[in-house]
Amino acid sequence: MILKRKQYLLIVSTFLLSILLVACGSDATGGDGEETYNWKFVTEEQQGQVQYEYAAEFAERLHEKSDGRINMEVYEFGGLGSEVNQVELLQSGGVEFAIVSPGFTGTMVSEGQLFALHFLFTDDMRLNQQILDESEALNVHLTEKYEQFNIKPLAYWTEGAMQWTGDRPLTTPEDFQGFKMRTQTSPLILRSYEAYGADPQELSWGELYTSLQQGVVQGQENPIFFIEDAKFHEVQDYMMISEHNIYVAMTTVNTDFFAALPTDIQDLILETVEEMRPVAYEMQERMNDELLGAIENNDRHPTEVIELTVEQREAFREKALPVRDFFIGEVGEDGKKILEMLIEEIEAATN
Ligand code: 6CS
């Protein structure tokens, strides 16, 4: 009941906020090429976490490049509603820029659910980032799918390999039998855990700490930096180095807004997107490395770290592979082509 009341308040406050933000609109003043711009950039994370730090650096670079003409206000997660509310704000123009996890767009851009497929990418994170940077399947064909919803992905980038945490060790698919696993809001993520026999439940990360603490859910998946920074390890006894997937985030802009900008301003944005690729990679790599140590050395809230063996990961991979057929069956011909092209690209990059 309390949850329902909280959700209601969240929906009402987000609705009111979105009206306010849309009313403020994107702001350009001045003339003769000397316009100044005031934009909003929302992230799904908080200060100190990868997405927020990315957006803050992006805003600073764009401000400098434009000689102070472009001002971006960066919003951390929480103030503008849930992750799904934030996507809606981006689509309506309430914010111009957003970092979006495809896991929160699964019921809209069904093709974007391919990122939910376990064991799709390689075990080499640098290679994975290169694939995300260069893939035609993603940067041309999947991007077109998002653009139909007024969302223009400018870059796909990783926040690190995903790991499981749980109130018990999760080393075989049998360990997932009836396990209440928290997921983002995407049918294919649910399906991926159902393939292991789990009982997945969608939830905003804003409610995850309390839900783990109270046993509403028993486990979750995320990159290490996020597990530590959001303190999930405090309420979980085990962390499995499962690397069953990579966490992908998208730098996005409202399509109509971007199309209406002068080309020199568009170019500054695109230039900044390119510069940020290696910056984002280094950021997540450093934070994931450092915060693994923080979890391992935390005596107050000890968490046992279990590295899955090659054989253990293989048992999960076998269960995960048929989910690709489910994806193809669900999302239709275009989704099938995008996935097949991506698989070819991954294979070509690996060989
Ligand atoms: O688990 C989640 O939903 C959150 N995880 C990360 C790494 N970023 C934001 C996202 O909402």
Side-chain angles (χ1 to χ4, degrees):
M1 188 61 203
I2 293 171
L3 251 184
K4 283 203 178 127
R5 190 175 138 72
K6 266 169 68 184
Q7 278 167 346
Y8 172 76
L9 286 173
L10 188 69
I11 290 163
V12 171
S13 57
T14 304
F15 177 67
L16 292 174
L17 194 67
S18 64
I19 291 177
L20 193 72
L21 288 173
V22 173
C24 294
S26 92
D27 186 15
T29 52
D32 301 331
E34 286 308 314
E35 290 94 331
T36 58
Y37 301 90
N38 297 303
W39 301 331
K40 300 172 203 77
F41 194 162
V42 69
T43 79
E44 299 167 331
E45 296 178 9
Q46 295 179 336
Q47 281 192 33
Q49 298 175 344
V50 176
Q51 287 188 14
Y52 183 91
E53 296 307 318
Y54 172 103
E57 173 87 25
F58 190 103
E60 201 177 309
R61 286 177 185 239
L62 208 43
H63 184 74
E64 273 172 27
K65 262 184 212 302
S66 65
D67 296 324
R69 289 166 57 207
I70 299 177
N71 301 292
M72 295 180 108
E73 188 164 354
V74 178
Y75 290 81
E76 53 180 2
F77 178 70
L80 302 185
S82 71
E83 300 90 339
V84 175
N85 298 142
Q86 292 185 176
V87 176
E88 289 160 2
L89 274 176
L90 174 71
Q91 289 179 280
S92 66
V95 298
E96 291 81 9
F97 290 81
I99 308 280
V100 175
S101 299
F104 292 110
T105 60
T107 50
M108 180 170 63
V109 185
S110 57
E111 295 84 358
Q113 296 188 95
L114 57 81
F115 293 113
L117 295 168
H118 294 185
F119 302 99
L120 176 62
F121 285 87
T122 76
D123 292 340
D124 177 341
M125 290 307 289
R126 264 192 198 279
L127 185 60
N128 291 334
Q129 186 55 59
Q130 190 190 320
I131 294 164
L132 293 174
D133 288 340
E134 296 173 1
S135 161
E136 180 188 329
L138 301 179
N139 293 287
V140 177
H141 304 293
L142 183 59
T143 289
E144 277 170 14
K145 295 292 172 191
Y146 275 96
E147 296 227 44
Q148 288 169 13
F149 293 89
N150 212 16
I151 296 171
K152 184 180 184 67
L154 298 170
Y156 298 85
W157 49 278
T158 185
E159 294 191 56
M162 297 251 258
Q163 324 294 355
W164 292 317
T165 65
D167 63 356
R168 62 175 88 157
L170 299 164
T171 59
T172 67
E174 292 71 41
D175 295 331
F176 272 102
Q177 283 304 314
F179 187 78
K180 287 183 273 173
M181 183 72 179
R182 175 270 171 171
T183 70
Q184 296 181 341
T185 54
S186 188
L188 202 77
I189 305 183
L190 296 173
R191 186 72 185 198
S192 291
Y193 283 101
E194 282 161 2
Y196 301 151
D199 175 17
Q201 300 181 25
E202 297 172 340
L203 205 62
S204 164
W205 84 258
E207 290 166 30
L208 185 49
Y209 183 96
T210 315
S211 301
L212 289 167
Q213 192 174 38
Q214 296 176 347
V216 176
V217 289
Q218 298 170 280
Q220 61 84 45
E221 59 174 0
N222 254 309
I224 291 170
F225 87 86
F226 198 73
I227 293 170
E228 205 284 340
D229 205 81
K231 305 293 168 214
F232 299 146
H233 64 298
E234 290 183 2
V235 285
Q236 295 273 264
D237 292 333
Y238 299 91
M239 179 168 81
M240 276 52 64
I241 305 298
S242 48
E243 311 206 328
H244 57 282
N245 201 354
I246 61 169
Y247 194 100
V248 174
M250 304 183 292
T251 305
T252 65
V253 61
N254 177 290
T255 303
D256 292 342
F257 156 81
F258 187 79
L261 289 173
T263 48
D264 60 326
I265 300 293
Q266 287 182 349
D267 289 345
L268 289 186
I269 294 169
L270 296 177
E271 205 178 287
T272 310
V273 168
E274 290 314 308
E275 285 176 15
M276 287 303 294
R277 290 182 196 273
V279 176
Y281 189 84
E282 303 304 331
M283 241 181 221
Q284 63 79 27
E285 189 179 49
R286 180 178 47 77
M287 286 194 207
N288 280 311
D289 283 354
E290 283 176 12
L291 295 182
L292 172 60
I295 293 177
E296 285 172 333
N297 298 321
N298 187 329
D299 297 331
R300 206 162 148 241
H301 298 287
T303 306
E304 190 176 332
V305 179
I306 301 174
E307 186 159 346
L308 262 55
T309 63
V310 174
E311 293 75 24
Q312 285 169 334
R313 290 182 76 229
E314 188 52 34
F316 284 108
R317 214 177 89 85
E318 274 172 28
K319 297 264 180 205
L321 280 180
V323 184
R324 295 184 189 185
D325 298 329
F326 176 81
F327 171 87
I328 288 168
E330 282 292 296
V331 303
E333 201 48 35
D334 288 358
K336 179 174 186 270
K337 281 193 197 142
I338 294 173
L339 177 62
E340 284 173 352
M341 183 184 274
L342 179 61
I343 291 172
E344 273 174 30
E345 289 168 340
I346 294 170
E347 281 170 2
T350 317
N351 296 321

